[in-house]
C-alpha cells in the first residue's frame, strides 16, 4: 500500500491523499445503520484526468475503489466493503456550462446541489434544477447515480430522467461520454443514441466514476404556491393522486403521514407545489388542482388545509432542513429510510404495512412518498429515527428497515438505493437472466472487479 | 468532556459546511483540507470516537481540532436548533482535553507558552504595549469616558500598529474621550479561550480585569473584534463588567461629528465581515454604516456577506499558528479572490487580524494591482 499511496500523491498532490486513522475512521461509515467498513485510504481527485490515472493505478495494484459524493445516501453505499480507496469527489465541483435556451447545465462529478442552486439564482434566475430534499452538500452525480427524485419530479420524473449526458471514467481508466456530448459539443440529451448512461445508474458506483454530467433545467417561476390536501382514508390516495397529476400543473407532489404532531396523526397529507409566471396563471392553476378533487371535498372525505404564510414558506424551502431534523427525534443523530419505488395503486397497503412494522418494532417513524412523473410511479418512504448512542435502539431501527424492505418487495415495489441486505433480496427476486446480464456487463467494464466490490453481488 | 452529550446528536448532514445561500464551502478548515474530518460534523464524530476509545489523540487529530478558525459558521448554519449553540463550546472542550493530554500541535504549544510567559504571543515586555501610540497625543487612561483597548496585534505587529494609530486618530476626530492602557494589561485572551486553555485565559482575563478595575474603567472600546468578544462575553463571569464596544460601533454612533467630503475617487469597496464582530456578535451594520457615509463610494457585496461571510482563516489562534495554510485553498486566498470578483478595488476590513491575513493573501494571489486591503478608518481619513 505504501507504493500505491506514494503514486496517488504524485497524481493528486500530497494534500489530497490520506491513509491516516482519522480519515479511515470517518469514511468507514455513514449516518445510517450499516456497520462500518474501513477504507485503506481516502483520495480527492481534482480532474477527470486524475481520476483516470487513479483507475489505471488501482487496476495495476487491484485496489478497490469506492466513489463518494456527499456521502448522504444513508444506506451505506459509500463504505469500502473490501477496503481500498474512497474517492471523495467533492473537489471536482465546477459548473462548466449553462445553456439557457436548451435548458441544461453541465457540472463536474462532485458539484453539490446547493452550489448549482446558488449559481443559477445568481447567473440565471429564470432557471432552476430539481433539488432533492437531501442536505445541500449532496452531489448531483451521487443523486443521479441512484435514480434520485426531487422538487420537479412530477414535471420531469426521476433525476436520472433529467440526465442529458455523462462523462465517465471506466473502471479500467478510459474516459467515455454518453449522450449527445459523445457526438456533438452540445449536451442536450440522450436520444437518439443507444442509452449507455444506464450502465452507470442504479449500480451504486460499481461500473464507473461520473466526472461530468448534463442535467435538465426548468423555468423558475416568479410566483410559487403550495396546497396541502388532506384525507383520512389511505384507500382514496391512488385516485386523489391520479386526479391531481392529471391536471399537469404540479411540479412536485409529496404525500406525508406522521404520528407527530398529534393533529397530523392518522391523516394523509399531500403537499402540492406549483408555480406560474403571473398571479392570474397561478390562480388558474390553483383552480385546476382544486377542481380535480372537488368530489372529495363535496362528500367531505377530503379538503385543503388552510395554512398561514410562514408555515407555507417552511414547507416550500428547498431543500427542507426539516427532513434532516427528523434525526433528532430520539435525541440521537440518526435516521435511515427505506424508499421503495412502486406503482401508485399500492399506496394503501404500503401505508398500512408501515404502521404495522413501526408499532411492532416500537420505532419513531415518519412515512411519505414522492410522486414521480404524471403519476407514473412513486417513491414511498418509511423513515425510522434512532439514537446513535443506543445500540439497542439502532438495532430496532435496523430490524424495522429490513422488514420494510421485504414488505415493499412483496407489494411489487423495489427498495431504492438499497443497502447490502436489501440488494440481496432484490437479486433473489430478479429474473436470473437479468442478473446474469448485469454480471456480464460488469465483468466487461471492470475485469479486475475493483469498483465498489461487495455491492450487487450474490452473497 | 464538557458537552459530550451532544456529540452523538450530530447527523453529519453538512448544512454547517455551507452558507445559507449554499454558494460555496463556508467552513474555512473544511475549505482548506477538504477531508470530511475537518468539517464541523467530522469534528463531532471524531471527538465522540475518541471518547469511546475508537481512535487515539494523534498529532493529526490535534491539528484537525486546532485548525478550527472558530468562525461560527457551523453554529449559524447547523440544522439542529436544539444543540447548535453548543458546537463551538464542544470543540473548545475537545481542545481542552487535548491540552490536558499533552497532545497539541507545536505552533499552538509555542503560542500558548509565549502568552503564558510574556502576556502576549510576541514575547515582548508589557511595558512596550503602549509604544504604538508614542507619536500620537493620546493620554494614558485616567478619567476619560473610554479605555481604548488594543490587542496584541495592534500593540506589537507593525501593520497592526498602523491600524491602531489610524483608529485612534479617527476616534479623536469624532471627539470621543478615551485613554489607552499603560502596559499593565495583557492579551485579551480570546484566542487562548477558543483554544480551550481555560486556566491561562482566566489568568489573562484576571490580570486585565484587575488593571481595568484599578483605573475605574467602565467603558471599553476595542480595536479587535476578538477583544470585544472576550471582554463582552467571557469577562463578566470572572467579575469584569464593562460597557464594551468595537470601534466601528462607537464611530457609527458618532457619524454626526464626522464631516466627509468627496475626494473624486468614486471608489468601489467591498467589506469583509470579521467573524467576531459579525457572526459571533451579530453586528453587520456598524462598519457598513461607516462606508456608506462616505460620498461617492460604491459598496459592493461579496456573495458571502454578513452572517454568510467567509472567514479569513485567522480566528481561533490561526493568525499565529498558521494551521490553515493550504496553498490555493487557504481561506485568505479564497476570500481575496472572491473580493476581487466583485470588481471592487478596495477590500475594507475592521480587524487587525483580518488585515494581516488578507494582505498576505493579496500578495500571494498577485492581486496587488487590482485589490488593496484597507482598514475602514484608513479609508475614512481620505474623505475628511
Ligand atoms: C435528510 C435527507 C433527505 C433526503 N431526501 C432525498 C430526496 O428528496 N431525494 C433523493 O433523491 N434523495 C434524498 N436523500 C438521499 C440522498 O442523500 C440523496 O439522494 C443524495 O443526493 C445522494 O447524493 P450524495 O452525493 O450524497 O451521494 P453518495 O451518498 O455519496 O453516493 C450515492 C451512491 O452513488 C455513488 N456515487 C457517488 N458519486 C459518484 C460518482 N461521481 N460517480 C459514480 N458513482 C458515484 C456512490 O458510490 C453511492 O453508491 C435524502 C437524504 C437525507 C439525509
Ligand atoms: S453540526 Fe449540525 S449541521 Fe453540521 S453536520 Fe452536525 S448536525 Fe449537521
Ligand atoms: S467554527 Fe468555523 S472553522 Fe470551526 S468548524 Fe465551525 S465553521 Fe469550521
Amino acid at each position: 500500500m505504501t507504493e500505491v499511496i506514494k503514486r496517488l500523491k504524485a497524481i493528486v498532490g500530497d494534500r489530497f491523499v490520506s491513509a491516516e486513522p482519522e480519515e479511515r475512521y470517518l469514511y468507514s461509515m455513514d449516518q445510517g445503520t450499516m456497520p462500518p467498513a474501513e477504507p485503506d485510504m481516502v483520495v480527492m481527485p481534482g480532474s477527470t484526468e486524475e481520476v483516470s490515472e487513479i483507475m489505471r493505478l488501482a487496476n495495476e495494484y487491484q485496489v478497490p475503489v469506492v466513489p463518494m459524493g456527499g456521502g448522504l445516501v444513508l444506506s451505506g453505499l459509500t463504505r469500502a466493503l473490501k477496503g481500498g480507496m474512497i474517492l471523495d469527489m467533492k473537489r471536482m465541483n465546477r459548473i462548466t456550462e449553462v445553456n439557457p435556451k436548451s435548458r441544461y447545465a453541465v457540472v463536474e462529478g462532485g458539484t453539490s446541489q446547493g452550489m448549482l442552486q446558488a449559481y443559477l439564482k445568481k447567473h440565471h434566475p429564470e432557471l432552476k434544477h430539481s433539488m432533492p430534499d437531501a442536505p445541500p452538500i449532496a452531489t448531483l452525480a451521487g443523486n443521479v447515480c441512484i435514480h434520485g427524485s426531487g422538487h420537479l419530479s412530477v414535471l420531469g420524473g426521476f433525476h436520472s430522467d433529467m440526465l442529458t449526458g455523462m462523462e465517465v471514467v471506466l473502471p479500467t481508466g478510459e474516459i467515455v461520454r454518453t449522450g449527445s456530448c459523445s457526438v456533438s459539443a452540445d449536451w442536450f440529451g440522450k436520444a437518439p443514441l443507444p442509452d449507455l448512461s444506464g450502465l452507470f445508474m442504479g449500480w451504486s458506483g460499481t461500473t464507473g466514476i461520473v466526472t461530468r454530467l448534463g442535467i435538465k433545467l426548468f423555468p423558475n417561476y416568479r410566483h410559487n404556491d403550495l396546497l396541502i390536501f388532506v384525507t383520512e382514508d389511505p384507500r382514496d390516495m391512488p385516485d386523489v393522486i391520479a386526479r391531481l397529476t392529471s391536471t399537469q400543473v404540479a411540479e412536485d407532489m409529496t404525500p406525508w403521514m406522521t404520528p407527530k404532531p398529534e393533529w397530523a396523526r392518522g391523516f394523509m397529507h399531500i403537499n402540492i407545489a406549483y408555480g406560474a409566471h403571473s398571479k392570474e396563471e397561478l390562480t388558474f392553476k390553483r383552480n385546476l388542482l382544486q377542481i380535480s378533487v372537488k368530489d372529495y371535498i363535496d362528500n367531505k372525505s377530503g379538503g385543503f388545509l388552510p395554512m398561514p404564510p410562514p408555515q407555507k414558506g417552511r414547507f416550500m424551502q428547498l431543500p427542507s432542513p426539516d427532513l434532516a431534523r427528523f434525526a433528532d427525534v430520539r435525541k440521537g443523530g440518526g435516521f435511515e429510510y427505506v424508499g421503495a419505488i412502486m406503482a401508485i395503486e399500492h399506496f394503501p397497503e404500503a401505508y398500512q404495512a408501515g404502521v404495522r412494522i413501526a408499532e411492532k418494532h416500537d420505532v419513531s417513524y415518519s412515512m411519505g412518498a414522492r410522486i414521480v412523473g404524471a403519476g407514473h410511479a412513486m417513491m414511498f418512504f418509511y423513515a425510522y429515527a434512532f439514537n446513535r448512542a443506543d445500540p439497542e435502539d439502532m438495532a430496532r431501527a435496523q430490524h424495522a428497515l429490513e422488514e420494510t424492505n421485504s414488505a415493499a418487495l412483496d407489494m411489487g415495489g423495489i427498495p431504492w438505493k438499497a443497502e447490502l441486505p436489501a440488494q440481496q433480496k432484490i437479486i433473489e427476486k430478479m429474473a436470473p437472466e437479468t442478473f446474469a446480464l448485469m454480471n456480464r456487463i460488469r465483468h466487461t467494464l471492470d475485469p479486475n472487479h475493483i469498483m465498489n466490490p461487495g455491492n450487487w453481488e450474490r452473497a | 468532556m464538557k458537552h459530550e452529550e451532544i456529540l452523538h446528536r450530530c447527523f453529519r448532514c453538512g448544512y454547517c459546511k455551507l452558507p445559507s445561500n449554499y454558494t460555496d464551502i463556508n467552513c474555512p478548515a473544511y475549505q482548506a483540507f477538504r477531508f470530511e474530518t475537518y468539517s464541523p460534523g467530522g469534528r463531532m464524530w471524531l471527538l465522540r470516537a475518541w471518547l469511546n476509545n475508537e481512535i487515539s489523540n494523534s498529532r493529526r487529530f490535534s491539528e484537525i481540532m486546532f485548525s478550527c478558525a472558530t468562525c461560527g459558521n457551523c453554529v449559524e448554519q447547523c440544522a439542529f436548533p436544539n444543540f447548535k449553540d453548543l458546537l463551538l463550546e464542544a470543540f473548545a472542550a475537545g481542545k481542552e482535553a487535548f491540552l490536558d493530554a499533552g497532545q497539541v500541535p507545536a505552533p499552538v504549544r509555542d503560542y500558548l507558552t509565549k502568552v503564558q510567559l510574556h502576556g502576549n504571543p510576541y514575547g515582548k515586555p508589557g511595558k512596550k504595549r503602549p509604544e504604538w501610540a508614542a507619536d500620537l497625543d493620546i493620554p494614558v487612561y485616567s478619567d476619560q469616558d473610554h479605555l481604548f483597548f488594543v490587542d496584541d496585534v495592534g500593540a506589537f505587529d507593525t501593520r497592526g500598529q498602523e491600524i491602531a494609530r489610524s483608529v485612534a486618530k479617527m476616534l479623536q476626530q469624532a471627539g470621543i474621550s478615551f485613554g489607552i492602557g499603560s502596559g499593565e494589561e495583557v492579551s485579551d485572551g480570546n484566542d487562548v479561550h477558543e483554544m480551550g486553555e481555560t486556566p491561562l485565559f482566566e489568568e489573562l482575563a484576571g490580570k486585565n480585569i484587575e488593571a481595568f478595575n484599578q483605573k475605574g474603567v467602565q467603558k471599553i472600546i476595542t480595536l479587535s473584534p476578538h477583544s470585544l468578544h472576550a471582554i463582552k462575553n467571557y469577562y463578566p463571569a470572572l467579575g469584569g463588567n464593562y460597557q464594551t464596544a468595537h470601534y466601528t460601533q462607537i464611530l457609527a454612533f458618532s457619524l454626526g461629528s464626522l464631516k466627509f467630503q468627496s475626494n473624486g475617487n468614486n471608489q468601489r469597496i467591498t467589506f469583509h465581515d470579521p467573524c467576531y464582530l459579525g457572526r459571533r456578535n451579530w453586528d453587520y451594520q456598524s462598519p457598513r454604516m461607516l462606508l456608506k457615509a462616505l460620498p461617492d463610494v460604491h459598496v459592493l457585496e461579496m456573495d458571502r456577506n454578513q452572517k454568510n461571510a467567509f472567514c479569513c482563516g485567522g480566528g481561533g489562534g490561526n493568525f499565529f499558528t498558521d494551521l490553515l495554510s493550504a496553498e490555493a485553498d487557504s481561506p485568505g486566498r479564497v476570500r481575496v479572490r472572491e473580493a476581487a470578483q466583485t470588481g471592487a478595488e478596495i477590500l475594507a476590513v475592521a480587524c487587525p487580524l483580518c488585515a494581516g491575513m488578507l494582505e498576505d493573501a493579496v500578495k500571494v494571489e498577485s492581486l496587488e494591482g487590482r485589490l488593496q486591503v484597507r482598514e475602514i478608518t484608513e479609508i475614512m481619513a481620505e474623505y475628511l
Side-chain angles (χ1 to χ4, degrees), chain B residues 327-350:
Chain B
E327 298 167 24
D329 291 326
S330 300
R333 290 180 63 178
V334 173
R335 189 58 165 165
V336 296
R337 293 200 294 269
E338 185 178 359
Q341 267 175 16
T342 62
E345 52 210 308
I346 293 180
L347 171 55
V349 295

Side-chain angles (χ1 to χ4, degrees), chain A residues 67 69-73 132-134 139 143 146 148-149 204 208 210 337 370 416:
Chain A
L72 283 158
V73 76
D133 280 308
T139 64
N143 182 266
I146 58 168
S149 53
S204 314
V210 180
Y337 61 101
R370 172 157 264 137
W416 164 61

Side-chain angles (χ1 to χ4, degrees), chain A residues 107-390:
Chain A
V107 304
E108 283 189 328
T111 307
S112 72
Q113 303 282 351
M115 286 183 207
L116 180 62
Q117 186 190 53
Y119 184 89
L120 292 174
K121 212 176 248 178
K122 181 170 178 190
H123 300 285
H124 300 278
E126 74 288 0
L127 294 170
K128 64 184 172 192
H129 81 290
S130 180
M131 290 283 282
D133 280 308
I137 196 75
T139 64
L140 282 120
N143 182 266
V144 165
C145 281
I146 58 168
H147 293 293
S149 53
H151 283 92
L152 298 174
S153 279
V154 169
L155 207 61
F158 289 107
H159 290 158
S160 40
D161 298 329
M162 300 179 194
L163 181 80
T164 65
M166 278 177 165
E167 174 191 83
V168 184
V169 175
L170 297 182
T172 38
E174 296 93 329
I175 301 169
V176 299
R177 287 185 172 197
T178 69
S180 60
C181 67
S182 65
V183 179
S184 145
D186 301 326
W187 288 64
F188 52 81
K190 292 178 285 197
L193 306 166
D195 186 6
L196 294 176
S197 309
L199 292 174
F200 310 102
M201 288 181 293
W203 291 73
S204 314
T206 58
T207 48
I209 311 226
V210 180
T211 47
R212 258 200 308 168
L213 59 90
I215 193 86
K216 287 180 187 169
L217 303 175
F218 295 83
N220 188 20
Y221 293 119
R222 273 187 65 194
H223 302 273
N224 294 286
D225 195 19
L226 181 94
L227 292 173
I228 299 187
F229 184 79
V230 192
T231 176
E232 210 168 355
D233 191 344
R235 287 168 306 181
D236 290 343
M237 288 296 272
D239 183 53
V240 169
I241 292 165
R243 285 165 179 247
L244 287 166
T245 49
S246 75
T247 62
Q248 301 261 29
V249 157
E251 293 185 324
D252 188 21
M253 279 178 54
T254 49
W256 53 276
M257 295 74 67
T258 163
K260 280 183 188 159
E262 201 53 46
W263 57 262
R265 183 191 287 268
F267 289 99
M268 322 282 120
H269 305 78
I270 313 179
N271 288 11
I272 309 146
Y274 62 106
H277 292 295
S278 66
K279 282 192 176 161
E280 295 73 26
E281 188 189 340
L282 197 73
T283 309
F284 174 72
K285 286 182 169 175
R286 184 186 311 126
N287 287 339
L288 288 180
L289 287 165
Q290 287 175 336
I291 290 164
S292 72
V293 287
K294 189 170 174 300
D295 292 347
Y296 287 90
I297 297 169
D298 289 346
N299 70 24
K300 299 200 171 19
S301 57
F304 286 95
L305 200 71
M307 225 187 335
Q311 201 182 350
K312 215 179 237 192
R314 219 172 130 169
F315 275 121
M316 288 165 76
Q317 212 175 331
L318 309 180
S320 166
D322 281 343
L323 273 138
R325 285 185 193 123
F326 184 59
D328 206 36
V329 164
R330 308 282 276 198
K331 292 197 172 33
F335 89 83
E336 187 179 333
Y337 61 101
V338 168
I341 313 292
M342 58 172 85
I344 287 177
E345 61 272 23
H346 294 300
F347 196 105
E349 52 184 312
Y351 171 71
Q352 274 138 9
V355 173
R356 195 185 62 243
I357 293 168
E359 279 171 4
K360 177 176 160 196
H361 293 276
D362 187 24
V363 285
S364 301
Y365 73 94
S366 167
M367 272 187 278
R370 172 157 264 137
I371 306 304
V372 181
H376 295 112
M378 66 178 170
M379 185 276 287
F380 194 102
F381 71 82
Y382 308 80
Y384 304 119
F386 55 84
N387 182 349
R388 187 172 301 288
D390 176 354

Side-chain angles (χ1 to χ4, degrees), chain B residues 110-124:
Chain B
D110 294 348
Y111 171 83
L112 293 172
T113 308
K114 281 211 173 111
V115 176
Q116 171 94 57
L117 289 176
H118 307 282
N120 66 72
Y122 293 87
K124 298 266 174 74

Side-chain angles (χ1 to χ4, degrees), chain A residues 112-115 117-119 121 131 135-137 317-319, chain B residues 14-28 30-31 40 71-78 279 302-311 335 338:
Chain A
S112 72
Q113 303 282 351
M115 286 183 207
Q117 186 190 53
Y119 184 89
K121 212 176 248 178
M131 290 283 282
I137 196 75
Q317 212 175 331
L318 309 180
Chain B
Y15 273 91
C16 50
K17 290 174 177 168
L18 300 169
S20 67
N21 55 14
Y22 312 143
T23 321
D24 210 338
I25 293 167
N26 221 35
C27 163
Y30 179 59
Q31 161 64 43
C71 71
N73 184 70
C74 48
V75 175
E76 183 71 41
Q77 302 302 342
C78 173
R279 239 175 345 243
M302 290 182 260
D303 285 344
R304 292 178 286 178
N305 62 68
Q306 305 193 42
K307 69 174 186 185
N308 286 332
F310 183 57
C311 168
R335 189 58 165 165
E338 185 178 359

